[in-house]
Amino acid sequence: MNVRDFKNKIYAELAGITKALANPHRLEIIELLAQGPCPVEYIVDNTSLTVANASQHLQTLKSARLVTSKRRGKYSYYSLASIKVFEVWNAMRDLGFSQNAEIEKLLKEFRESHHNLESVTCSQLLERIQQGKSLLLDVRPRKEYKSGHIASALSIPQDELIEKLKELPRNKEIVAYCRGPLCAMADNAVEMLINHGYKAVRLESGFPEWKSKGLPVEQ
Amino acid sequence: MNVRDFKNKIYAELAGITKALANPHRLEIIELLAQGPCPVEYIVDNTSLTVANASQHLQTLKSARLVTSKRRGKYSYYSLASIKVFEVWNAMRDLGFSQNAEIEKLLKEFRESHHNLESVTCSQLLERIQQGKSLLLDVRPRKEYKSGHIASALSIPQDELIEKLKELPRNKEIVAYCRGPLCAMADNAVEMLINHGYKAVRLESGFPEWKSKGLPVEQ
DNA sequence: CGCACATTCAATATATTAATTGAATGTTGT
DNA sequence: ACAACATTCAATTAATATATTGAATGTGCG
């Protein structure tokens, strides 16, 4: 095989993988699966997809070897094939945030609609935890917490927060985190905490970003 | 704007960027541009694309803000919009190399056709250079060398190598590098050097990978 | 077994992407 | 101004991707 044929084939394969990623719904699925394995139904509940369509997108991801599936009882549990899949998505999102004016505008609007809440980075959070300064709150659904969370984090899903406010200390800063920078759950939690007189900020990114940096996680 | 609309818009934008990458020719263009800025003509000479088609692909990349262009005289010089573009491609390629059986097979066949030549990683190379053990050879076209190369590398383009063999020491190991892991120039150079009795290996990756790791470069 | 439910499959209509062709634009040097 | 050349544009055809629909498959439970 000559070099040109070799290159054509390799680039075609790599473009195939990239094409499998190049769809808004599939990117959203990747981000959900980065929280942990889940059935098709869970993806449907957390996106605007129909069942058949979600399944179809998952097949596309599966045949590009970006996700794997395992049947357990009635459900097919889908997972990311490797942490590298998340890393590609992370690099892509990072590129988008820095290059695309439209994305920048959307993010700015979104933050403003949440009154420009303060956020902390992973390394800032790590420091605060080590110094015992902050209480860490995982506001994702409990299932996601159970399939992996930041070390020392407490699980209070967003919709249970109002009932459990009393359990939280008023003198300590609370850091809430969720699925990632595009997820609004932490923003909502922080907003509510502040409205009730607590001191709270959100983690800029989320659990998968923390994990992919090799920072301490628990299960 | 509600969260669902926000997400739909953000993911659509990010998928747009990903779509711009999701084509074999455009991936190859990205890899070429990672060597440094160049005109359309140069891309045509180094791929199997026609002029109009190359230009069209460049427009696609440009409107996704992955590349920029600047007219200088008769030529439009295209460049990567940011090192992040290369980083995404790098992460993607890495994912492909690790997940895709077809790619693995192609790479294996390719290496075998080059008699399984030895290669060194960036960190191994750095060590060898620091210890003065190896002579470093940039076998890319001189223009690419001039727009940036690994510190202390000598420029001998692949097609001039045969004439300049005498200038090289026989007692020192020679490390040849080129555009990256998918480029055959370093393999060809190493093969020729070995056939003429020199001790030679290739750098596993290439200049852009070295540079993106923050290792020493010159211009 | 057969019902309920999660998922997948197959077929179709629509929308998007890509290569090709030839013409148009912009720039240099005479 | 014009000849030579690099690049871009516009139009066409062919190929591919996507959402939707309804039917089919697979699994647990009564």
Side-chain angles (χ1 to χ4, degrees):
Chain A
M1 178 162 46
N2 69 40
V3 175
R4 191 64 259 165
D5 287 348
F6 166 73
K7 284 195 182 179
N8 284 347
K9 282 179 187 167
I10 289 271
Y11 285 113
E13 288 291 334
L14 288 167
I17 294 172
T18 316
K19 277 192 173 83
L21 281 172
N23 173 282
H25 301 302
R26 291 199 290 272
L27 290 179
E28 195 171 1
I29 290 174
I30 297 284
E31 187 138 87
L32 253 179
L33 293 181
Q35 314 303 321
C38 73
V40 180
E41 197 183 35
Y42 194 79
I43 289 164
V44 172
D45 292 343
N46 282 278
T47 61
S48 55
L49 293 167
T50 63
V51 176
N53 201 6
S55 174
Q56 196 173 308
H57 282 301
L58 283 164
Q59 298 310 311
T60 304
L61 289 169
K62 196 178 169 183
S63 48
R65 310 213 170 245
L66 298 176
V67 310
T68 56
S69 72
K70 196 172 200 169
R71 188 124 194 169
R72 270 219 313 263
K74 283 201 287 191
Y75 304 93
S76 281
Y77 281 83
Y78 282 87
S79 319
L80 293 192
S82 125
I83 184 77
K84 284 178 195 289
V85 178
F86 175 75
E87 283 166 7
V88 169
W89 155 241
N90 203 21
M92 196 102 69
R93 194 184 51 196
D94 195 42
L95 172 65
F97 282 17
S98 73
Q99 299 293 115
N100 184 300
E102 186 58 31
I103 292 179
E104 203 176 354
K105 197 181 132 219
L106 284 163
L107 288 172
K108 191 160 166 271
E109 274 174 31
F110 185 75
R111 275 192 222 105
E112 276 166 8
S113 78
H114 283 270
H115 312 100
N116 291 306
L117 296 175
E118 201 190 330
S119 64
V120 297
T121 63
C122 285
S123 50
Q124 288 170 333
L125 173 57
L126 189 65
E127 204 176 317
R128 290 184 198 203
I129 294 173
Q130 283 167 347
Q131 296 173 340
K133 273 186 189 167
S134 299
L135 178 73
L136 188 54
L137 224 56
D138 186 322
V139 298
R140 297 174 302 161
R142 188 150 286 123
K143 279 181 187 170
E144 295 175 26
Y145 176 86
K146 280 187 182 157
S147 71
H149 56 265
I150 298 182
S152 86
L154 225 66
S155 170
I156 306 187
Q158 193 198 335
D159 50 358
E160 299 176 16
L161 187 53
I162 187 79
E163 315 152 17
K164 301 199 174 163
L165 273 181
K166 284 170 236 158
E167 299 172 18
L168 300 173
R170 282 187 181 270
N171 55 341
K172 218 172 180 180
E173 182 190 66
I174 297 167
V175 179
Y177 76 87
C178 55
R179 291 173 180 157
L182 298 179
C183 176
M185 294 190 288
D187 296 280
N188 294 337
V190 168
E191 210 158 19
M192 174 189 288
L193 286 167
I194 287 176
N195 288 342
H196 286 78
Y198 293 86
K199 190 157 182 281
V201 299
R202 75 160 282 171
L203 177 64
E204 200 175 81
S205 51
F207 171 67
E209 290 79 10
W210 177 276
K211 188 182 172 189
S212 98
K213 283 186 175 157
L215 298 172
V217 299
E218 290 169 348
Q219 202 154 9
Chain B
M1 179 162 47
N2 69 41
V3 175
R4 191 62 259 166
D5 287 348
F6 167 74
K7 285 195 180 179
N8 284 347
K9 282 179 187 168
I10 288 271
Y11 285 112
E13 288 291 333
L14 288 167
I17 294 172
T18 315
K19 276 191 173 78
L21 280 173
N23 174 282
H25 301 301
R26 291 199 290 271
L27 289 179
E28 195 171 1
I29 290 173
I30 297 284
E31 187 138 86
L32 254 179
L33 293 181
Q35 314 303 321
C38 72
V40 179
E41 197 183 35
Y42 194 79
I43 288 165
V44 171
D45 292 343
N46 283 278
T47 61
S48 55
L49 293 167
T50 61
V51 176
N53 202 5
S55 174
Q56 197 173 309
H57 282 302
L58 283 163
Q59 299 310 312
T60 305
L61 289 169
K62 196 178 170 183
S63 49
R65 312 214 170 240
L66 298 176
V67 310
T68 56
S69 73
K70 196 172 201 169
R71 189 123 193 171
R72 270 219 312 262
K74 283 201 288 193
Y75 304 93
S76 281
Y77 282 82
Y78 281 88
S79 319
L80 293 192
S82 127
I83 185 75
K84 284 179 196 287
V85 178
F86 175 76
E87 283 166 7
V88 170
W89 155 241
N90 203 22
M92 198 102 69
R93 195 183 51 194
D94 195 41
L95 172 65
F97 282 17
S98 74
Q99 298 294 114
N100 184 302
E102 186 58 31
I103 292 178
E104 203 176 353
K105 197 180 131 219
L106 284 163
L107 288 172
K108 192 160 166 270
E109 275 174 30
F110 184 76
R111 275 191 221 107
E112 276 166 7
S113 77
H114 284 270
H115 312 100
N116 290 306
L117 297 175
E118 202 190 329
S119 65
V120 297
T121 64
C122 285
S123 50
Q124 289 170 333
L125 173 57
L126 189 66
E127 205 176 318
R128 290 184 197 203
I129 295 172
Q130 284 167 346
Q131 296 174 341
K133 274 185 187 168
S134 298
L135 178 73
L136 189 53
L137 223 58
D138 186 322
V139 299
R140 298 175 301 161
R142 188 151 286 122
K143 278 182 188 170
E144 295 175 25
Y145 176 86
K146 280 187 182 157
S147 71
H149 55 266
I150 297 182
S152 85
L154 226 66
S155 172
I156 306 186
Q158 195 197 333
D159 50 358
E160 298 176 16
L161 188 54
I162 188 81
E163 315 153 15
K164 301 198 175 162
L165 273 181
K166 284 170 233 156
E167 299 172 20
L168 299 173
R170 281 185 181 271
N171 56 341
K172 217 172 180 179
E173 182 190 65
I174 296 166
V175 180
Y177 76 88
C178 54
R179 290 171 180 158
L182 297 178
C183 175
M185 293 191 288
D187 296 281
N188 295 337
V190 168
E191 210 158 18
M192 173 189 289
L193 286 167
I194 287 176
N195 288 342
H196 285 79
Y198 292 86
K199 191 157 181 281
V201 298
R202 75 160 283 172
L203 177 64
E204 201 174 79
S205 52
F207 171 68
E209 290 78 11
W210 177 276
K211 188 183 172 190
S212 98
K213 282 186 176 158
L215 297 172
V217 300
E218 289 170 349
Q219 202 157 8

